[in-house]
């Protein structure tokens, strides 16, 4: 472990992930996915999980050097394959009651030198194979959580001017602060934070807008909301009845847009780290819900292959509101990691919707979900479009406009 990482805080983060994030129940198994470099955090998570009564804690590690070895030396056919057996095994674990914990922290530039066509093929093969393991997560069937640990490559991207160990320590401190584990009682702090998010959720659900309108530099967007959409945020119960907090950190309230009722232009306000590349200055135009034009100053081919993954990859499945004054945004750090950057900015996601953001959505067939405006895809990628220069109005069922955000803050 980097000597610049505070072991007590690392332990607290592990405890918050198990107790608040997962709300792990006695006897429950956990499937953990993590970068190899995150082993120090995974080990502390295992300790807290077993103390909380976990059945079996099973980690799956990936390693950047091994991934790069594949890009450099694997035969061509390798790029259309994925380990289906692994994802089927994970799916079986969730069916039999396991919780899922993901650690994020990969080097956002890991694949910057690799062939974009190979990256796209492998991303597609992986997304298809991972579907059985992702469905129970996207459908919120099990309690799950994602937390972060800084790999050396990630830290070096955020703090290029620092020696790498120091950069890791500094990024870890930023993760601790954003994850609200700096206080004396992180568990109580999380309960208070969740209650504040719930207030916003209640207001938005009471207003029951039919659409949102965004105005800002490069952005003029009419975004219809799905029929029977529900706003969510903070802690909420998974279908297995366990109240969990999927994202640590989290600052967003979010719902399901109408996949066929989005029109206008959007300019991204932060770079997007995707598939080991950083995509910069994304600008898109929607017509009848579909992205019909997309440009980027860097990584445009990665963006285009993402949007071409399948039918739903060029429509949106999530819309989220985050005030510009969120602590992550105020830190001023550009994280190059979606878990952090999306919680510093209003965002939308292309691809799969969360069925539980439509009333009764978890019970609906794919066809019924689509009729209400819910999008379907093998991808779900968030990108940031909020800033202190963006105004958002809610449009009521009768066509009145109600200010929702002004200058990036709740109106
Ligand atoms: Zn989101
Ligand atoms: Zn999302």
């Amino acid at each position: 472990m980097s000597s610049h990482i505070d072991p007590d805080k690392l332990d607290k983060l592990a405890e918050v992930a198990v107790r608040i994030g997962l709300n792990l129940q006695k006897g429950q198994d956990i499937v953990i996915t993590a970068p190899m470099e995150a082993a120090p955090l995974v080990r502390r998570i295992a300790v807290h999980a077993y103390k909380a009564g976990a059945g079996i804690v099973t980690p799956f590690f990936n390693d950047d050097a091994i991934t790069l070895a594949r890009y450099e030396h694997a035969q061509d056919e390798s790029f259309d394959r994925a380990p289906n057996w692994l994802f089927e095994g994970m799916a079986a674990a969730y069916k039999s009651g396991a919780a899922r914990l993901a650690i994020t922290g990969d080097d956002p530039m890991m694949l910057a030198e690799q062939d974009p066509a190979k990256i796209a093929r492998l991303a597609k093969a992986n997304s298809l194979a991972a579907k059985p393991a992702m469905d129970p997560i996207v459908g919120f069937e099990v309690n799950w959580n994602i937390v972060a640990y800084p790999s050396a490559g990630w830290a070096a991207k955020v703090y290029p001017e620092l020696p790498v160990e120091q950069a890791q320590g500094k990024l870890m401190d930023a993760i601790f602060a954003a994850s609200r584990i700096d206080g004396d009682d992180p568990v109580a702090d999380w309960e208070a934070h969740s209650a504040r998010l719930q207030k916003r959720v209640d207001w938005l659900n009471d207003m029951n807008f039919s659409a949102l309108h965004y105005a800002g530099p490069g952005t003029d967007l009419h975004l219809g909301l799905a029929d029977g959409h529900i706003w969510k945020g903070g802690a909420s119960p998974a279908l297995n009845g366990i109240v969990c907090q999927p994202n640590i950190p989290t600052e967003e309230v979010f719902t399901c847009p109408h996949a066929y009722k989005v029109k206008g232009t959007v300019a991204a306000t932060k770079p997007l780290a995707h598939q080991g590349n950083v995509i910069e200055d994304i600008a898109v135009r929607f017509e009848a819900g579909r992205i019909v034009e997309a440009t980027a100053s860097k990584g445009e081919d990665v963006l285009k292959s993402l949007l071409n993954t399948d039918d739903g990859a060029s429509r949106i499945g999530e819309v989220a509101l985050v005030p510009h004054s969120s602590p992550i945004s105020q830190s001023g750090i550009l994280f190059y990691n979606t878990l952090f950057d999306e919680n510093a900015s209003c965002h939308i996601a292309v691809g799969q919707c969360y069925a539980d953001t439509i009333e009764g959505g978890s019970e609906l067939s794919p066809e019924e979900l689509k009729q209400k405006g819910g999008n379907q895809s093998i991808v779900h990628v968030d990108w940031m479009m909020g800033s202190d220069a963006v105004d958002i109005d809610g449009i009521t069922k009768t066509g009145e406009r109600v200010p929702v955000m002004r200058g990036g803050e709740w109106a």
Side-chain angles (χ1 to χ4, degrees):
M1 188 195 335
S2 162
S3 56
H4 294 268
I5 292 177
D6 180 337
D8 295 334
K9 286 189 183 171
L10 190 69
D11 189 64
K12 264 195 194 171
L13 181 62
E15 186 183 2
V16 164
V18 171
R19 287 184 54 193
I20 300 290
L22 290 181
N23 185 16
L24 189 79
Q25 304 293 298
K26 273 207 172 61
Q28 226 187 350
D29 293 348
I30 313 182
V31 174
I32 303 180
T33 55
M36 198 92 90
E37 285 182 78
L41 174 59
V42 176
R43 292 183 188 121
R44 296 314 304 166
I45 286 170
V47 169
H48 285 287
Y50 283 123
K51 277 188 183 170
I56 309 168
V57 178
T58 306
F60 294 90
F61 289 101
N62 58 66
D63 179 58
D64 285 1
I66 296 173
T67 304
L68 284 174
R70 185 171 179 186
Y71 275 92
E72 276 153 34
H73 305 293
Q75 51 177 337
D76 190 63
E77 297 90 303
S78 176
F79 294 90
D80 298 313
R81 294 189 52 213
N84 296 67
W85 57 268
L86 174 64
F87 298 116
E88 282 157 16
M90 288 179 183
Y94 303 141
K95 269 213 177 67
S96 59
R100 181 249 201 176
L101 208 158
I103 316 264
T104 177
D106 292 310
D107 178 358
M109 301 296 282
M110 186 196 21
L111 300 178
E113 305 296 314
Q114 304 304 319
D115 174 7
K118 279 186 179 170
I119 295 172
R121 284 164 62 199
L122 197 48
K124 185 162 188 175
N126 266 324
S127 302
L128 277 171
K131 200 173 180 307
M134 285 313 293
D135 282 349
I137 307 303
V138 170
F140 210 14
E141 291 168 32
V142 301
N143 47 328
W144 65 274
N145 171 242
I146 179 167
V147 284
Y149 185 91
S151 66
W154 180 20
K157 176 74 184 164
V158 179
Y159 299 109
E161 70 288 356
L162 293 180
V164 74
E165 284 224 326
Q166 232 171 301
Q168 262 177 301
K170 201 165 170 186
L171 181 52
M172 192 79 238
D173 284 342
I175 293 169
F176 290 144
S179 306
R180 295 176 192 272
I181 65 125
D182 273 346
D184 294 332
D185 189 350
V187 172
D189 291 347
W190 268 97
E191 278 160 5
H193 176 51
S194 199
R196 275 193 302 272
L197 289 173
Q198 192 58 48
K199 264 194 187 157
R200 300 292 179 202
V201 164
D202 291 344
W203 181 73
L204 287 160
N205 282 330
D206 280 348
M207 295 308 289
N208 195 19
F209 294 122
S210 67
L212 299 176
H213 182 263
Y214 294 69
T219 294
D220 178 5
L221 187 72
H222 176 92
L223 188 152
L225 297 172
D227 304 339
H229 70 273
I230 310 169
W231 289 89
K232 300 192 83 174
S236 64
L239 290 181
N240 64 5
I242 301 168
V243 175
C244 71
Q245 185 76 255
N247 288 1
I248 290 182
T250 186
E251 303 289 335
E252 63 174 349
V253 297
F254 61 101
T255 192
C256 189
H258 197 296
Y260 298 86
K261 294 184 180 169
V262 183
K263 192 176 180 311
T265 56
V266 187
T269 49
K270 287 175 195 285
L272 169 64
H274 178 66
Q275 301 291 353
N277 278 269
V278 173
I279 310 174
E280 287 179 19
D281 302 314
I282 298 175
V284 305
R285 188 166 66 81
F286 287 90
E287 255 173 39
R290 211 169 73 81
I291 295 175
V292 292
E293 262 176 58
T295 58
S297 65
K298 222 175 132 188
E300 188 172 296
D301 42 6
V302 180
L303 173 66
K304 285 196 165 147
S305 67
L306 164 67
L307 299 177
N308 286 329
T309 310
D310 59 19
D311 259 12
S314 57
R315 298 181 186 275
I316 60 174
E318 179 196 335
V319 52
L321 301 177
V322 180
H324 188 69
S325 59
S326 93
I328 303 174
S329 173
Q330 290 306 301
S331 76
I333 302 166
L334 181 56
F335 282 91
Y336 297 100
N337 179 296
T338 299
L339 177 61
F340 290 82
D341 292 330
E342 75 166 335
N343 280 304
S345 168
C346 289
H347 57 272
I348 51 179
V350 292
Q352 181 64 39
C353 72
Y354 290 106
D356 66 323
T357 53
I358 292 184
E359 219 168 310
S362 307
E363 314 293 318
L364 298 179
S365 70
E367 195 46 44
E368 291 169 320
L369 211 54
K370 184 178 166 182
Q371 258 155 30
K372 291 185 179 285
N375 194 33
Q376 273 144 67
S377 170
I378 58 171
V379 298
H380 175 102
V381 178
D382 298 84
W383 51 275
M384 286 57 75
M385 47 161 332
S387 75
D388 57 1
V390 176
D391 291 339
I392 303 172
D393 283 340
I395 298 168
T396 65
K397 297 265 185 285
T398 53
E400 282 163 82
R401 293 175 86 102
V402 178
V404 174
M405 283 190 157
R406 285 292 174 268
E409 298 303 325
W410 291 106

